[in-house]
Amino acid sequence: MALLEVRDLKTRFYTQEGVVHAVNGVSFEIKKGETLGIVGESGCGKSVTMLSVMRLIPQPPGKIESGQVFFDGKDLMKLEIDELRTIRGHKIAMIFQDPMTSLNPVLTINVQVSEALELHMGMTKEQARERTIDLLGLVGIPEAAERIDDYPHQFSGGMRQRSMIAMALSCNPDLLIADEPTTALDVTIQAQFIDLVKRLQNEFGMAIIWITHDLGIIAGIAERVMVMYAGFFIEAASVFDVYGDPRHPYTVGLLGSVPRLDEVRREKLTTIEGLPPDLLGELPPGCPFYPRCDWRIDRCNRERPVLESVAPEHWVACWVALEKARG
């Protein structure tokens, strides 16, 4: 049984310029203890999808138009806000992209981590403080007992991100959503951060949804991958199939633009010509990748493909890939 199941989720933003079609009917699921990677260019709808799942979209201008989000059998879209708050931060936790803007600059690290423990776990301030020291030590912050009353600006970028992990893990969540958590970190700290998350996942047994545009990170942490483009999922498979046998032209282009160290000699990196589509206004009837695609046929401009199976546990939204798989 899936821990989280999302069905036909659609999110719009109503602005003065028009309607932004940010998420366009996405469906996916994740099982307990699994790691799912969601990849795609900036602006493709990865973060908005997860914020919609958590019902954290600012309204207005945003609006979740339709869809169902089942977590442990409950549809989060139908819960009252008080009931939803008992799940957010407790059963489902989220690490945001920029820890400096996610942490409150005028509150100490202790206050921010302890809040969830007092709210969801019923701890006293003293109990929450002790648990916070344990958590900060667990995520690798040295001299946690002495640093607990520091403010975010007194921590380095890596330590702030570790504090965000401590906050997210404070209530032993069943699902952790990591929204590009390594973007602001240097490569060495990135590697330490990923190792830490993998170790903590093994320890706590939680499922993880990892959102990123960095294909290299996903290769080392995820079991399944979903590729997103223009608010649609366009390929979904195991990490081995996506990297070893990509079927969608966009996925092929993404992988071709990543430097490889396991090949002796290679031609120069490929590029994907053009720009992602503007999601403001009505969406074109065909495939959103059509203007940039080297594989395109006439049907691609008339009909929008949906995810269909091309191999066991491998789905692609591409007319050409489907024809190749069937023929």
Side-chain angles (χ1 to χ4, degrees):
M1 180 180 173
L3 174 66
L4 177 76
E5 184 178 359
V6 177
R7 300 177 185 170
D8 197 30
L9 185 65
K10 297 179 181 177
T11 301
R12 307 282 183 262
F13 288 91
Y14 293 86
T15 69
Q16 291 181 341
E17 290 77 20
V19 181
V20 179
H21 295 71
V23 179
N24 300 303
V26 301
S27 301
F28 66 94
E29 64 179 41
I30 183 170
K31 297 179 176 65
K32 292 183 179 180
E34 184 184 21
T35 302
L36 172 67
I38 298 180
V39 300
E41 291 172 275
S42 296
C44 71
K46 306 184 299 294
S47 298
V48 175
T49 297
M50 289 302 110
L51 290 171
S52 300
V53 165
M54 298 278 281
R55 282 177 59 186
L56 291 173
I57 295 292
Q59 301 186 47
K63 183 181 180 183
I64 301 171
E65 293 284 359
S66 63
Q68 297 172 297
V69 178
F70 292 99
F71 179 78
D72 267 352
K74 294 181 179 179
D75 187 354
L76 301 186
M77 296 294 111
K78 294 181 178 178
L79 295 184
E80 296 294 329
I81 195 65
D82 289 340
E83 191 175 1
L84 186 63
R85 282 178 181 144
T86 65
I87 295 175
R88 286 196 306 227
H90 184 198
K91 297 293 185 180
I92 306 176
M94 192 164 182
I95 304 174
F96 294 95
Q97 188 167 348
D98 185 355
M100 200 59 216
T101 57
S102 301
L103 292 168
N104 191 323
V106 299
L107 297 178
T108 66
I109 298 297
N110 174 48
V111 170
Q112 297 187 63
V113 179
S114 294
E115 182 180 25
L117 293 167
E118 294 174 35
L119 178 65
H120 295 299
M121 309 297 280
M123 293 186 180
T124 64
K125 287 189 180 297
E126 291 74 21
Q127 291 170 331
R129 183 181 178 87
E130 289 301 314
R131 176 61 178 155
T132 298
I133 293 172
D134 292 341
L135 286 165
L136 293 179
L138 182 69
V139 299
I141 292 180
E143 300 176 342
E146 286 74 39
R147 302 300 304 271
I148 190 173
D149 292 315
D150 284 355
Y151 290 87
H153 73 270
Q154 295 174 278
F155 277 25
S156 67
M159 289 173 67
R160 287 195 293 267
Q161 199 62 285
R162 288 169 185 266
S163 301
M164 290 291 293
I165 299 179
M167 193 183 306
L169 297 180
S170 60
C171 299
N172 300 332
D174 295 323
L175 173 63
L176 176 67
I177 300 172
D179 184 7
E180 304 209 35
T182 60
T183 299
L185 306 178
D186 64 55
V187 176
T188 305
I189 303 299
Q190 276 188 20
Q192 294 174 3
F193 181 86
I194 292 166
D195 288 342
L196 171 64
V197 172
K198 290 165 72 173
R199 177 170 59 82
L200 294 173
Q201 181 183 29
N202 292 332
E203 187 170 331
F204 289 95
M206 60 191 171
I208 295 176
I209 297 175
W210 193 289
I211 305 167
T212 185
H213 59 267
D214 190 329
L215 291 162
I217 288 175
I218 289 296
I221 197 169
E223 294 150 32
R224 284 194 302 123
V225 183
M226 300 197 73
V227 183
M228 197 166 195
Y229 185 80
F232 298 92
F233 283 133
I234 50 114
E235 185 159 7
S238 71
V239 67
F240 300 104
D241 286 338
V242 166
Y243 285 76
D245 185 24
R247 300 292 185 96
H248 196 284
Y250 177 65
T251 311
V252 172
L254 282 181
L255 291 169
S257 66
V258 177
R260 297 282 294 270
L261 298 178
D262 59 346
E263 296 179 358
V264 176
R265 185 169 179 268
R266 180 177 173 170
E267 300 300 321
K268 66 179 182 179
L269 297 177
T270 60
T271 59
I272 301 175
E273 299 296 330
L275 297 170
D278 187 353
L279 300 180
L280 181 65
E282 288 301 316
L283 294 168
C287 174
F289 191 60
Y290 176 82
R292 308 173 72 187
C293 183
D294 293 332
W295 300 5
R296 62 192 176 197
I297 57 177
D298 288 342
R299 187 181 185 184
C300 303
N301 198 31
R302 299 192 309 268
E303 300 177 53
R304 183 179 301 132
V306 296
L307 284 174
E308 292 189 46
S309 177
V310 291
E313 303 298 315
H314 194 155
W315 294 269
V316 176
C318 173
W319 296 124
V320 177
L322 289 168
E323 285 183 9
K324 288 179 179 177
R326 291 165 182 163

